[in-house]
Amino acid sequence: MIANNPRTLFEKIWDQHVVHEEPGKQTILYIDLHLIHEVTSPQAFEGLRLAGRALRRPDKTVGTQDHNVPTTDRSLPILDDVARQQIDTLRNNCKEFGVKLYDLDSPNQGIVHVIGPELGLTQPGMTIVCGDSHTSTHGAFGALAFGIGTSEVEHVMATQTLAQIKPQSYEIRINGSLGRGVTSKDLILYLIGQISTAGGTGHVIEYTGQAVRELSMEERMTVCNMSIEAGARAGMIAPDQTTFDYIRGREFGPADFAAAVERWKTLPSDPDATYDRVDIFEADDIAPQITWGTNPGQVTSINSTVPNPEDFADPTERQSAANALKYMDLSAGTPMTNVLIDRVFIGSCTNSRIEDLRVAADMVRGRTISDRVSAMVVPGSGIIKQQAEAEGLDRIFLDAGFEWREAGCSMCLGMNPDQLKPGERCASTSNRNFEGRQGRGSRTHLVSPEMAAAAAIAGHFVDVRDWD
Amino acid sequence: MQPFTQHTGRVATMDRSNVDTDQIIPKQFLKRIERTGFGEFLFYDWRYHPDGTLNSDFELNQPCFRDATILVARKNFGNGSSREHAVWALDDYGIRCVIAESFADIFYNNCSKNGLLPIVLPASHVQTIHERTASGEGYELGIDLQAQSVKDKQGLTATFEIDPFRKQCLLEGLDHISLTLAHADKISQFEKTNGHWLGD
């Protein structure tokens, strides 16, 4: 009996959702929640129409507009015809297929991975998918959540299931507590630096250990969010009292909350459960992190220097580092704190939640951003924007010289007009520093909200542990 | 889906690891609501200068790679975003097969939903292909999915792994949704039995 064997959190959720399996075939897995947005859904809806298929469970499908939306005045028309057509298409598709949509005029509109948890849609034990790689965010609640392509979006729409090969399990344990000035963003950037951007390929990571248990839900979401940057299929954290407290009272939380908590308490990995792979790290080893290259694994400590490509043993890594330094216009040996910046972006599904905005506001309160910097804050959702304004955070940012925008993915991927100019260097709280990610020729350094805020004031990167 | 059975074609090499989906199809082209016509935007920021002229330094712009249908890179090809547009762009450009030492999971999955074959080969074979492509124009590989083999005319014979279900779907060009809908009764049964857990 499989139920008697010790199982991991991942295995329990997997087993619970198996609809059908047979030798030589992929497992058909039930999907509890399908989140959709304007960029990866239009071709899937069109596929349903062409095949004359219905959307099986509109009640388990929720949409929002986030990737391609303007973050400026929403009462003005969208000038980009192609962008506007994509946004209109999601609106029309949701209407035609009966899907709940948090549209541009909804107070709940926001980044799909921010509003799912915020609305209480994201719950422990669920399977959650979305046509977006950062769906791994929802794993922070002890859900199995992963990104899918548009063909699979269509598959979920038509069947409310996915055919999957079971991934391997991977425990990453972090002993001890994170130090002062070291955030969950630094934790995940450090881990990616250690295991590489392909380190988690084919695996579902479960983050465990004291440092993880001590994180808030917002911080856990930041960690799980960037599991995909470690190459993992998904990232998860076992639900606990922190999780239950976050969900309690949210709009789409369970009707019988007490009963749900009892179920959720059965989810954490059994004490004797084994993982296919285990890595153990010490929180003491982690300093605030900053990327220097063009993938999230090219990362170092803020009190360190730009690495020398010659120090990389692997020839491909060496070439990759040399290419990255050329693209980033950085010289080996330069202290990271000497690197001057032009722009600051605080936002994205990684770091745009209320806690992120609070800590960033604390850094800039009563100060003014550097003359050489232009900076913007893009809240993750309309609700977060409202809450921040109720707390006066918008005033703190505006007084310091930041722009204060409407919710969306914005400059994380620069699909909308929020982009860097060629050669501009940005301290960004987002998740990817790929070439051209924030605009052609743009140079992105991934950091925590604290580090981004401090850099905005100083005009260069600073070690937030030295910030008074 | 277009089936993939056997294919012989010219090879283009990209001596790079971690080629991400932002490079394969930059974000400015994700606003389109169609599934076709992405080929002209493939690797756009690498393929073209900012003024729109061809970047002759970029691998795929080499005259010897113009007719390539097999793309060979290094490690962790297709990492990053889940955008299936990356696969649509490769397919529309004319690529039938990508060979690398490893792939990112979502990209690998997306390939096999579009009749484009992703092949993982050991580093030594990938190195051989890179060297042989560099040493003579018109280097070709022959790929046989049924046999799970990659061969050239100079004696290279490599075999690759692929999960049997994915292989069958690619060989026969099967529609994944129809295959799953054959189990529609089981899905309904699952929903009835697990309603309490699913919040129904």
Side-chain angles (χ1 to χ4, degrees), chain A residues 30-37 40-41 44-45 48 55-64 99-100 112 121 126-132 135 138 146-162:
Chain A
Y30 197 78
I31 301 302
D32 295 327
L33 176 63
H34 187 196
L35 300 166
I36 62 171
H37 62 85
T40 57
S41 67
F45 278 115
L48 287 187
L55 196 157
R56 185 181 175 90
R57 296 297 298 260
D59 58 323
K60 294 182 181 294
T61 314
V62 176
T64 191
V99 173
K100 171 78 181 163
V112 64
L121 290 164
M126 280 183 150
T127 49
I128 302 174
V129 297
C130 173
D132 187 277
T135 308
H138 306 265
F146 51 92
I148 55 178
T150 297
S151 292
E152 290 192 320
V153 168
E154 185 180 337
H155 190 283
V156 178
M157 285 175 171
T159 70
Q160 203 56 34
T161 67
L162 273 177

Side-chain angles (χ1 to χ4, degrees), chain A residues 186-338:
Chain A
D186 302 307
L187 168 59
I188 187 63
L189 283 171
Y190 173 83
L191 294 174
I192 296 164
Q194 294 295 306
I195 71 171
S196 93
T197 55
T201 304
H203 289 75
V204 170
I205 299 173
E206 182 181 344
Y207 302 95
T208 68
Q210 184 185 341
V212 174
R213 294 264 68 87
E214 289 173 356
L215 298 176
S216 69
M217 283 319 298
E218 281 85 349
E219 292 169 324
R220 293 179 189 185
M221 283 189 255
T222 301
V223 172
C224 289
N225 172 276
M226 289 191 70
S227 300
I228 184 69
E229 274 68 48
R233 199 75 187 89
M236 317 176 80
I237 293 173
D240 60 11
Q241 196 58 44
T242 304
T243 322
F244 311 149
D245 291 344
Y246 180 96
I247 298 170
R248 191 192 310 273
R250 293 191 185 262
E251 184 178 355
F252 293 101
D256 187 343
F257 190 78
V261 167
E262 287 314 304
R263 271 202 320 272
W264 296 341
K265 283 180 174 171
T266 66
L267 287 168
S269 298
D270 297 325
D272 297 329
T274 55
Y275 299 81
D276 296 304
R277 181 179 166 191
V278 179
D279 276 320
I280 300 169
F281 299 94
E282 302 298 325
D284 278 350
D285 294 340
I286 308 174
Q289 301 287 299
I290 175 171
T291 61
W292 50 266
T294 52
N295 73 59
Q298 293 179 323
V299 64
T300 190
S301 300
I302 183 64
N303 53 349
S304 182
T305 56
V306 176
N308 189 334
E310 296 307 315
D311 294 341
F312 290 85
D314 179 272
T316 314
E317 292 301 316
R318 196 181 310 140
Q319 187 58 47
S320 171
N323 292 347
L325 292 196
K326 185 169 174 231
Y327 181 86
M328 295 295 289
D329 191 28
L330 291 172
S331 309
T334 307
M336 292 311 303
T337 49
N338 283 10

Side-chain angles (χ1 to χ4, degrees), chain B residues 147-166:
Chain B
Q148 297 177 213
S149 70
V150 178
K151 293 180 181 176
D152 72 7
K153 289 174 185 154
Q154 299 167 48
L156 172 79
T157 301
T159 56
F160 60 90
E161 296 294 318
I162 183 167
D163 125 71
F165 178 71
R166 211 184 294 270

